[in-house]
Amino acid sequence: MSLRRYLGASWAAVHGPSDPRRLCIWTLERGFRGLLPSPTPRPIDWHALREAAADLPFDLAGTWRFAAPSAGEERPDRGLGSRNQGEFATTRRSLEDALDSALALGLRRFVCEPGAVPLAGERGPVDLADPTLVWTPERLAAQVARRRAGETRALDAACRALYGIGKRFPDVELCLTASRTIDGLGTPSALSLIFEDLPRQRLAYWHEAALCACREERLGEAQGDWLERFGPRLAGLTLGDWSEGRIQQVPGSGLVDHALLASYWSGAGARFPAVLELDPSIPPAEMAGIRSFLEKFGL
């Protein structure tokens, strides 16, 4: 089976043409099968794009990403673990509205984080990928301890939310990811508990390569641990690198273990999409080198 490689919508929205058909052709010319929809800096009319591609070998990866790749502590899925009923209900409605939008496009795979732990007192810094924050060992340890203190109740809320969403949208595969924030429930241990608690839900794992490399550097969570634990549930892969404190950088410029990714990719038989997500500041001139680097690993 050939590799199903897609381009992230955030970068494409900034650098690609605004006309829907021209954007489809522009994406195909760069060697990608299509785009993966998500919130973008410049809005994209996804229905118009799908119609414009009716006679082209272009698709939307069957997948909808709930939050923009750049979203940190303002992520719309954070409230899934909230004890505040208003915040929890707002998050649930927002997620269900996005699921309705995804289904209207024929997309039955949905990528999100499983929520965050409400921290007692002043929340403090949480975004592990914010290049303006200084994460000392002491600060990291203190925030991790605060997250652990409230994790059980937040997990209970998140599991109830995911169960309800699964009941309403039984045909959608909910793909959970690692958390970008230190208070997020997207940790190896918390995701394991969610999967264990909801064995009959259509839950899957989506691997964020750059984010997992960030968490390895910040928190010591090995990149391979995510794939070892959740490899059988793997539904998709986001490519990009973690370099000099910045996420979604040029692959090969940072700490992502591409040989490790390639070993899991080949073992999975390329049954899922691989999406290249780049920071919009990366110029189009980098694309040829990026493609060449990834192809060395079969990615």
Side-chain angles (χ1 to χ4, degrees):
M1 185 184 299
S2 62
L3 186 72
R4 293 188 288 161
R5 186 186 293 114
Y6 294 85
L7 184 60
S10 291
W11 189 86
V14 171
H15 297 285
S18 57
D19 176 77
R21 185 168 179 86
R22 288 177 57 213
L23 179 58
C24 294
I25 294 171
W26 178 87
T27 302
L28 293 169
E29 288 176 342
R30 277 147 188 81
F32 296 93
R33 178 167 169 164
L35 297 177
L36 188 143
S38 71
T40 55
R42 171 176 62 80
I44 293 176
D45 185 335
W46 295 109
H47 289 279
L49 194 75
R50 188 179 62 170
E51 291 175 7
D55 62 340
L56 297 172
F58 177 100
D59 66 79
L60 300 177
T63 306
W64 182 281
R65 179 188 287 274
F66 185 42
S70 60
E73 56 185 289
E74 75 284 3
R75 290 183 60 93
D77 44 21
R78 284 176 57 79
L80 285 176
S82 178
R83 297 189 297 270
N84 181 292
Q85 290 303 309
E87 182 181 8
F88 179 85
T90 298
T91 298
R92 174 84 178 260
R93 283 195 301 270
S94 177
L95 200 149
E96 290 180 347
D97 287 346
L99 279 161
D100 285 331
S101 297
L103 287 172
L105 286 165
L107 310 178
R108 299 185 179 277
R109 190 182 296 117
F110 193 86
V111 180
C112 65
E113 288 187 17
V117 178
L119 301 181
E122 190 70 26
R123 188 171 71 181
V126 294
D127 190 350
L128 293 166
D130 184 343
T132 68
L133 290 178
V134 178
W135 283 104
T136 63
E138 294 76 19
R139 173 177 276 182
L140 286 165
Q143 291 293 72
V144 167
R146 295 176 70 207
R147 177 183 59 75
R148 285 176 178 161
E151 185 175 85
T152 299
R153 291 183 65 182
L155 273 170
D156 180 64
C159 286
R160 284 189 287 108
L162 292 169
Y163 176 79
I165 291 164
K167 293 284 285 185
R168 181 175 170 186
F169 299 93
D171 297 328
V172 172
E173 185 175 46
L174 289 172
C175 305
L176 305 181
T177 72
S179 289
R180 174 170 169 154
T181 58
I182 199 166
D183 59 347
L185 289 170
T187 69
S189 59
L191 282 186
S192 292
L193 290 171
I194 291 172
F195 290 138
E196 180 181 326
D197 193 58
L198 300 169
R200 287 179 290 278
Q201 295 287 113
R202 289 198 65 191
L203 296 179
Y205 172 67
W206 188 282
H207 187 71
E208 299 279 352
L211 189 52
C212 289
C214 164
R215 293 185 67 95
E216 180 176 61
E217 183 176 45
R218 300 287 197 219
L219 300 168
E221 296 170 355
Q223 295 176 53
D225 188 33
W226 299 89
L227 294 166
E228 284 290 335
R229 287 179 185 242
F230 310 125
R233 293 180 176 270
L234 199 58
L237 168 68
T238 300
L239 299 166
D241 222 322
W242 168 249
S243 177
E244 297 180 352
R246 295 183 180 276
I247 206 164
Q248 309 305 358
Q249 298 301 297
V250 172
S253 67
L255 300 180
V256 169
D257 188 338
H258 290 88
L260 176 70
L261 292 179
S263 69
Y264 277 89
W265 176 269
S266 59
R271 71 180 189 274
F272 49 73
V275 183
L276 177 64
E277 287 281 7
L278 297 173
D279 187 280
S281 66
I282 295 171
E286 296 275 5
M287 187 57 71
I290 290 171
R291 288 288 310 280
S292 177
F293 174 81
L294 292 175
E295 285 168 0
K296 289 192 303 182
F297 295 95
L299 294 170

